[in-house]
């Protein structure tokens, strides 16, 4: 009898000819996630069996962060032999309602699923005076999974992971991470669809605190297991913001800043070969996220801009932020660069031509090049 | 690097550091009964006596070593805020370790009163007097403000309070006064006085609470009976010995010239909070239309480390003490300069020039 961890995946099954490729990706990602931990991994018919491990909880915690994993169970592995399985079921201690579920993938197994489930249920009842069968809403389900590989897995709990697709081999996405609640969640959401990302952060030192940057570093480390980031690019927007502030219409300050951010992101994507920009924008949440504002910023993007939270309500975003453990860090009270030169009445429906006119008031290209050249690259 | 934030903490002196290292080698638990422990215990008692002597503590008074001045302040409030029918008075300019502790007791339903401040940060004496009545059990007033350097006349306050009712407990947080004023605790007449080592070139992690009447005090931390049963926990022998060295070498430095040099070269529109009623080593200056923390960051880029009156974020709000004595537009742009011995007059002049330039260029950029 072996104790093992069963890892199930779902969406990969739908991948037809690419199934092998995605399975290999998933296995590699699992191995990455479990680096430093001893284990053996075996691929058996649509699920992975992890064995010879020590720290079960640590492994489960890390596996939950691997996209493509549907669910995890700690199981006992036995041979496909009715007597061996019955002997094991005799040792199960239950003092609540339960049912037995038998899944007989190995059609050579001599007893039919329903019959075997009934036999096992009787064994449990015989050995546990407080156990009671409830096939509709049992407190405990004893799952008996009889596989064609010749092995049977018995488990009760399913620990759900986030499903989705395994992160790709390349870091294709560039996540704009502000330090607020939304952008870490946006990175998480895109990673769930297999987009591996690095991070671009904008700061406005000395107008913002060094602690604001430290906060972003903390956030980056928190989402790293999900998004597979290796680098964070830190770009100081101070010079541009000062120029906008002095020379351009105050109400356009944020729109101009966000357009500049996208342009910086373009440059980073081009230089480091990212294929898409990811932001935490949510339609209508603030003045800079109206359809007109998004149109104005989108107009300068040379790469597709992914906005996975576009239809999310704030409370939905907060719930996800709490789920991925970034919320408490995000609400630390350090301003990011957006709020420093905040106009009292930012334009809600900016016009692209107007934004361009404002940009023409300053030596835009030179300033943009300056901030791009001074980007700090930090390895995570 | 030019360090102008000595009110926040000071650099440990070489001698204090040596004392710390030397004492660290004698690792014996002072409570044990073998010879090396007895020697350690004796050293601690010598240190205690040395500090009490230096601060001229009253007869039969004692001093307990604490993990910080914050702990000492907490201990006093914990020992004396007991009855809900009594009144407990503080100045509005108390350090956070008093202010937030008092606020905590207020939330628990105790009658807590904060007496407002004058423009320079000193306590409004009239307001204090008007609060005295039969229900008052404790008055705790900071000796020197950590924000403005304002000196409260503790001797006068204690006399006033005690002549109203000698049973009122008087505590003063003397952390910023130590090394800036000549302190004679017996003359001040206080029941409690808080001090800290790291503000006087000693180590961090050690504070002291002077207790005039040990029998009236109840410990905050119970345990193995250390510090005469007044503060449990194995004594921090290395820090205590370094504290002793810092106290032995303590001298009252005159920062008047440095302060004057700084002010003379600060050629721009500003509001200086600190005045003649303040110690010379701390000066709080407010600039309208700028943010204190941004000024701090700009100066850091030029190698000057200064303190700030308010954090660079709207959520954390303004500096409580500064905001209570100057208009909000000034409080936002408050910075705190605190001089130390290693800083020369020329450094002070250069700081003032750099600060002037920083604020002016900031204003040009921001206030179009």
């Amino acid at each position: 009898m072996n104790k093992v961890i069963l890892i199930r995946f779902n969406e990969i099954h739908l991948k037809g000819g690419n199934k092998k490729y995605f399975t290999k990706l998933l296995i590699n990602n699992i191995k990455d996630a479990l680096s430093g931990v001893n284990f053996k991994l075996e691929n058996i018919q649509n699920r992975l069996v992890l064995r010879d491990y020590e720290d079960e909880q640590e492994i489960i915690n890390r596996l939950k962060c691997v996209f493509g994993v549907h669910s995890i169970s700690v199981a006992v592995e036995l041979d496909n032999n009715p007597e061996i399985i019955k002997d094991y079921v005799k040792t199960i201690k239950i003092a609540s309602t339960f049912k037995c579920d038998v899944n007989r993938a190995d059609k050579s197994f001599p007893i039919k699923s329903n019959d075997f489930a009934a036999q096992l249920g009787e064994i449990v009842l015989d050995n546990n005076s407080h156990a009671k069968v409830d096939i509709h809403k049992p407190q405990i389900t004893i799952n008996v999974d009889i596989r064609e590989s010749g092995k049977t897995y018995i488990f009760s709990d399913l620990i759900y992971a986030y499903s989705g697709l395994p992160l790709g081999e390349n870091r294709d996405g560039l996540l704009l991470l502000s330090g607020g609640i939304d952008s870490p969640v946006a990175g998480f959401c895109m990673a769930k669809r297999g987009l591996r990302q690095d991070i671009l952060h904008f700061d406005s030192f000395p107008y913002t605190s060094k602690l604001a940057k430290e906060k972003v570093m903390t956030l980056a480390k928190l989402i790293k297991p999900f998004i597979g980031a290796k680098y964070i690019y830190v770009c100081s927007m101070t010079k541009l913001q000062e120029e906008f502030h002095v020379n351009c219409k105050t109400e356009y300050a944020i729109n101009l800043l966000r357009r500049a951010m996208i342009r910086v992101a373009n440059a980073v994507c081009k230089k480091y070969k990212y294929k898409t920009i990811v932001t935490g924008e949510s339609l209508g949440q603030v003045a800079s996220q109206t359809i007109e504002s998004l149109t104005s910023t989108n107009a300068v993007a040379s790469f597709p801009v992914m906005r996975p939270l576009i239809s999310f309500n704030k409370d939905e975003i907060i719930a996800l932020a709490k789920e991925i453990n970034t919320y408490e860090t995000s609400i630390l009270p350090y301003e990011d660069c957006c709020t420093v030169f905040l106009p009292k009445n930012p334009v809600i429906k900016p016009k692209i031509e107007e934004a361009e006119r404002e940009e023409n008031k300053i030596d835009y290209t030179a300033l943009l090049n300056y901030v791009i050249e001074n980007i700090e690259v930090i390895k995570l | 690097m030019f360090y102008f934030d000595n009110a926040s903490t000071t650099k440990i002196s070489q001698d204090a550091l040596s004392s710390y290292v030397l004492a660290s080698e004698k690792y014996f638990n002072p409570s044990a009964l073998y010879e090396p422990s007895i020697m350690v215990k004796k050293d601690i008692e010598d240190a205690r006596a040395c500090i009490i002597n230096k601060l001229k503590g009253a007869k039969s008074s004692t001093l307990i070593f604490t993990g910080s001045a914050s702990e000492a302040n907490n201990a006093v409030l914990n020992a004396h805020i007991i009855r809900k029918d009594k009144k407990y008075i503080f100045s509005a300019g108390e350090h956070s370790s008093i202010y937030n502790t008092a606020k905590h007791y207020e939330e628990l339903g105790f009658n807590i009163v904060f007496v407002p401040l004058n423009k320079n940060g000193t306590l409004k004496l009239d307001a204090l007097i008007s609060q005295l009545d039969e229900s008052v059990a404790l008055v705790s007033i900071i000796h020197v403000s950590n924000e403005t350097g304002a000196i409260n006349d503790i001797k006068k306050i204690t006399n006033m309070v005690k002549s109203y009712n000698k049973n009122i407990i008087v505590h003063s947080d003397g952390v910023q006064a130590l090394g800036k004023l000549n302190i004679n605790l017996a003359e001040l007449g206080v029941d409690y006085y808080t001090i800290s080592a790291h503000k006087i070139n000693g180590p961090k992690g050690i504070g002291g609470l002077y207790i005039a009447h040990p029998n009236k005090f109840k410990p905050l931390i119970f345990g193995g009976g250390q510090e005469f049963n007044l503060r449990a926990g194995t004594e921090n022998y290395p820090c205590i010995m370094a504290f002793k060295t810092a106290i032995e070498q303590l001298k009252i430095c005159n920062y008047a010239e440095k302060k004057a040099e700084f002010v003379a070269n600060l050629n721009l529109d500003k509001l200086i909070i600190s005045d003649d009623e303040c110690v010379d080593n701390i000066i709080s200056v407010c600039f309208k239309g700028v943010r204190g923390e941004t000024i701090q960051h700009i100066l850091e880029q030029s190698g000057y480390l200064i303190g700030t009156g308010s954090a660079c974020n709207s959520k954390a709000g303004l500096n409580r003490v500064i905001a209570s004595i100057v208009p909000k537009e000034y409080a936002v742009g408050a910075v705190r300069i605190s001089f130390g011995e290693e800083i020369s007059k020329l450094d002070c002049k250069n700081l003032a020039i750099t600060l002037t330039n920083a604020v002016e260029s900031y204003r040009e950029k921001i206030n179009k």
Side-chain angles (χ1 to χ4, degrees):
Chain A
M1 183 185 86
N2 281 326
K3 210 175 164 197
V4 298
I5 294 175
L6 293 180
I7 304 167
R8 301 175 198 83
F9 34 93
N10 50 359
E11 196 171 337
I12 293 176
H13 297 316
L14 308 172
K15 290 295 169 194
N18 290 323
K19 187 174 163 184
K20 256 192 178 171
Y21 167 75
F22 281 103
T23 308
K24 195 178 153 212
L25 261 186
L26 180 65
I27 289 172
N28 285 342
N29 290 347
I30 287 173
K31 284 178 180 169
D32 278 353
L34 298 182
S35 70
V37 177
N38 290 327
F39 65 95
K40 278 184 190 151
L41 197 63
E42 196 185 332
N43 182 2
I44 56 150
Q45 298 161 328
N46 299 335
R47 62 200 63 194
L48 302 171
V49 179
L50 196 146
R51 61 177 89 245
D52 299 341
Y53 59 86
E54 281 167 10
D55 191 344
E56 189 175 288
Q57 196 51 51
E58 173 69 15
I59 288 176
I60 291 170
N61 289 344
R62 292 203 211 175
L63 285 174
K64 278 167 75 179
C65 299
V66 179
F67 293 113
V69 173
H70 166 265
S71 59
I72 305 154
S73 294
V74 178
V76 166
E77 186 184 57
L78 305 166
D79 289 334
N80 291 359
N81 176 323
E83 294 313 312
I84 291 176
I85 295 169
K86 285 177 184 172
D87 281 347
Y88 173 74
V89 171
K90 281 178 194 164
T91 67
I92 294 177
K93 297 278 171 256
I94 288 180
S96 62
T97 59
F98 77 100
K99 74 166 177 176
C100 290
D101 250 358
V102 174
N103 173 28
R104 194 175 59 121
D106 175 6
K107 298 300 177 195
S108 71
F109 191 81
I111 311 170
K112 285 189 175 172
S113 298
N114 286 346
D115 298 343
F116 197 46
Q119 290 177 19
L120 295 178
E122 273 187 35
I123 293 173
V124 173
L125 287 172
D126 287 348
N127 288 283
N128 296 276
S129 53
H130 296 292
K132 206 176 155 189
V133 174
D134 181 347
I135 53 167
H136 300 295
K137 279 187 176 172
Q139 286 166 295
I140 292 175
T141 301
I142 301 170
N143 296 286
V144 180
D145 194 7
I146 304 164
R147 310 300 302 174
E148 289 167 294
S149 63
K151 295 290 179 191
T152 293
Y153 299 94
I154 302 181
F155 55 90
S156 61
D157 295 331
L158 255 74
I159 301 158
Y160 288 97
Y162 296 109
S163 295
L165 291 174
L167 286 184
E169 286 163 287
N170 300 319
R171 296 193 309 281
D172 285 338
L174 182 66
L175 170 67
L176 308 199
L177 189 72
S178 66
I181 296 166
D182 303 351
S183 48
V185 177
F188 168 84
C189 289
M190 289 315 298
K192 197 172 73 177
R193 301 309 302 156
L195 186 72
R196 198 178 276 272
Q197 299 150 74
D198 279 333
I199 295 165
L200 171 60
H201 171 68
F202 298 100
D203 86 357
S204 304
F205 190 81
Y207 298 100
T208 52
S209 162
K210 282 185 176 168
L211 295 173
K213 188 173 148 191
E214 285 310 308
K215 170 183 163 183
V216 169
M217 294 305 293
T218 306
L219 282 175
K221 282 172 190 154
L222 285 172
I223 56 169
K224 184 185 166 183
F226 293 114
I227 72 170
K230 267 202 179 155
Y231 295 99
I232 176 164
Y233 306 93
V234 179
C235 178
S236 169
M237 298 300 267
T238 309
K239 283 235 180 294
L240 260 168
Q241 281 184 284
E242 285 175 351
E243 289 296 314
F244 289 150
H245 188 78
V246 175
N247 300 299
C248 307
K249 280 186 185 169
T250 313
E251 62 268 32
Y252 263 78
I254 292 179
N255 187 242
L256 297 178
L257 175 65
R258 296 188 83 94
R259 283 163 61 89
M261 286 174 172
I262 293 292
R263 287 188 168 109
V264 171
N266 286 341
V268 174
C269 283
K270 201 172 165 197
K271 183 169 177 186
Y272 297 98
K273 307 210 165 17
Y274 299 105
K275 294 172 186 163
T276 182
I277 297 164
V278 179
T279 77
E281 287 155 318
S282 162
L283 187 64
Q285 192 187 91
V286 287
S288 62
Q289 295 175 20
T290 61
I291 195 74
E292 291 82 2
S293 292
L294 294 176
T295 304
S296 175
T297 49
N298 216 46
V300 299
S302 317
F303 294 83
V305 181
M306 304 282 173
R307 299 180 176 90
L309 307 185
I310 199 72
S311 69
F312 280 46
N313 299 328
K314 194 73 186 184
D315 51 359
E316 292 170 323
I317 300 173
I318 287 173
L320 259 178
K322 285 180 177 168
E323 166 77 23
I324 64 171
N325 204 24
T326 54
Y327 180 72
E328 294 301 325
T329 305
S330 287
I331 59 170
L332 291 175
Y334 308 117
E335 288 182 346
D336 60 37
C337 79
C338 301
T339 54
V340 170
F341 297 95
L342 197 69
K344 276 192 186 128
N345 297 306
V347 58
I348 292 169
K349 296 181 176 181
K351 295 188 174 66
I352 294 176
E353 311 78 55
E354 189 82 21
E356 285 169 349
R357 253 200 303 282
E358 292 305 313
E359 284 164 355
N360 285 332
K361 288 180 180 172
I362 61 173
D363 192 358
Y364 196 90
T365 311
L367 281 162
L368 190 69
N369 286 341
Y370 174 86
V371 302
I372 291 168
E373 279 162 19
N374 285 286
I375 286 175
E376 184 187 0
V377 185
I378 303 167
K379 199 164 189 299
L380 278 171
Chain B
M1 185 190 80
F2 300 93
Y3 186 66
F4 282 95
D5 200 16
N6 288 279
S8 156
T9 192
T10 56
K11 183 179 172 184
I12 189 168
S13 72
Q14 274 307 316
D15 288 342
L17 189 58
S18 302
S19 297
Y20 182 93
V21 173
L22 201 66
S24 296
E25 312 250 332
K26 299 183 193 170
Y27 54 87
F28 310 97
N29 190 320
S31 298
L33 299 178
Y34 29 77
E35 184 68 20
S37 288
I38 293 167
M39 298 308 290
V40 165
K41 180 79 180 159
K42 188 177 162 299
D43 284 346
I44 291 173
E45 293 316 314
D46 285 349
R48 196 187 317 275
C50 164
I51 296 172
I52 295 173
N53 284 340
K54 183 88 176 185
L55 304 182
K56 302 192 172 53
K59 213 175 167 189
S60 79
S61 67
T62 190
L63 177 126
I64 56 170
F65 292 107
T66 59
S68 63
S70 292
E71 183 198 319
N73 284 341
N74 270 262
V76 174
L77 271 57
N78 173 71
H80 292 284
I81 303 185
I82 304 165
R83 289 174 53 174
K84 294 202 170 162
D85 58 342
K86 293 288 182 184
K87 190 198 274 187
Y88 306 94
I89 301 177
F90 305 88
S91 88
E94 293 304 305
H95 182 264
S96 306
S97 57
I98 290 282
Y99 183 82
N100 288 332
T101 312
K103 279 295 210 189
H104 166 72
Y105 283 106
E106 192 174 40
E107 281 169 18
L108 294 178
F110 289 93
N111 183 11
I112 305 289
V113 170
F114 293 102
V115 176
L117 307 178
N118 294 309
K119 291 280 174 224
N120 62 5
T122 52
L123 171 88
K124 281 190 173 160
L125 274 177
D126 294 350
L128 173 63
I129 292 166
S130 71
Q131 285 292 343
L132 292 177
D133 59 36
E134 282 173 8
S135 70
V136 176
L138 169 80
V139 173
S140 176
I141 307 296
I142 195 165
H143 198 172
V144 168
S145 164
N146 55 305
E147 300 292 353
T148 69
I151 305 166
N152 284 311
D153 189 340
I154 297 299
K155 187 177 168 186
K156 190 173 169 185
I157 290 169
T158 311
N159 278 338
M160 229 168 62
V161 170
K162 294 274 184 188
S163 58
Y164 185 86
N165 176 357
K166 67 177 172 34
N167 292 323
I168 298 174
I169 299 292
V170 179
H171 165 247
S172 182
D173 175 352
V175 167
Q176 296 290 348
L178 193 59
K180 314 303 174 305
L181 303 175
N182 278 311
I183 293 165
N184 185 324
L185 290 172
E187 267 186 18
L188 291 183
V190 291
D191 296 288
Y192 297 99
Y193 195 81
T194 298
I195 56 172
S196 176
H198 76 100
K199 308 284 189 188
I200 56 163
N201 306 102
K204 288 155 186 73
I206 185 91
L209 180 64
Y210 164 81
I211 305 177
H213 312 287
N215 57 332
K216 288 187 186 168
F217 180 72
K218 289 188 176 57
L220 174 66
I221 299 172
F222 293 91
Q226 293 89 345
E227 301 287 281
F228 323 112
N229 270 323
L230 301 179
R231 197 274 186 184
T234 300
E235 297 86 339
N236 189 344
Y237 176 57
C239 277
I240 291 171
M241 296 315 287
F243 196 176
K244 181 191 176 198
T245 303
I247 285 276
E248 283 171 341
Q249 297 182 343
L250 191 65
K251 53 180 189 287
I252 308 298
C253 293
N254 185 355
Y255 296 103
E257 281 190 16
K258 291 177 184 175
K259 185 178 179 179
E261 186 74 5
F262 171 74
V263 173
N265 288 283
L266 204 58
N267 296 317
L268 80 168
D269 163 40
K270 76 262 174 190
L271 172 65
I272 296 178
I273 299 175
S274 312
D275 64 11
D276 293 346
E277 277 191 290
C278 299
V279 290
D280 286 326
N281 74 309
I282 297 180
I283 177 165
S284 265
V285 192
C286 302
F287 304 101
K288 208 173 166 180
V290 304
R291 300 212 298 186
E293 195 193 327
T294 303
I295 293 299
Q296 182 190 49
H297 294 323
I298 295 172
L299 284 189
E300 186 184 348
Q301 290 176 320
S302 306
Y304 293 93
L305 303 184
I306 64 167
T308 170
S310 91
C312 180
N313 68 76
S314 44
K315 286 178 197 161
L318 295 167
N319 179 297
R320 166 177 49 85
V321 176
I322 301 290
S324 78
I325 51 181
V326 301
K328 189 188 166 193
E329 62 267 34
Y330 281 99
V332 174
V335 295
R336 183 187 66 183
I337 315 294
S338 44
F339 307 105
E341 267 191 274
E342 290 176 4
I343 290 298
S344 69
K345 253 174 84 175
L346 181 63
D347 297 334
C348 295
K349 180 182 174 181
N350 289 337
L351 169 68
I353 294 168
T354 312
L355 182 56
T356 302
N357 292 338
V359 174
E360 277 177 348
S361 89
Y362 183 128
R363 280 178 174 159
E364 268 172 36
K365 281 175 192 162
I366 303 305
N367 305 327
K368 64 172 179 178

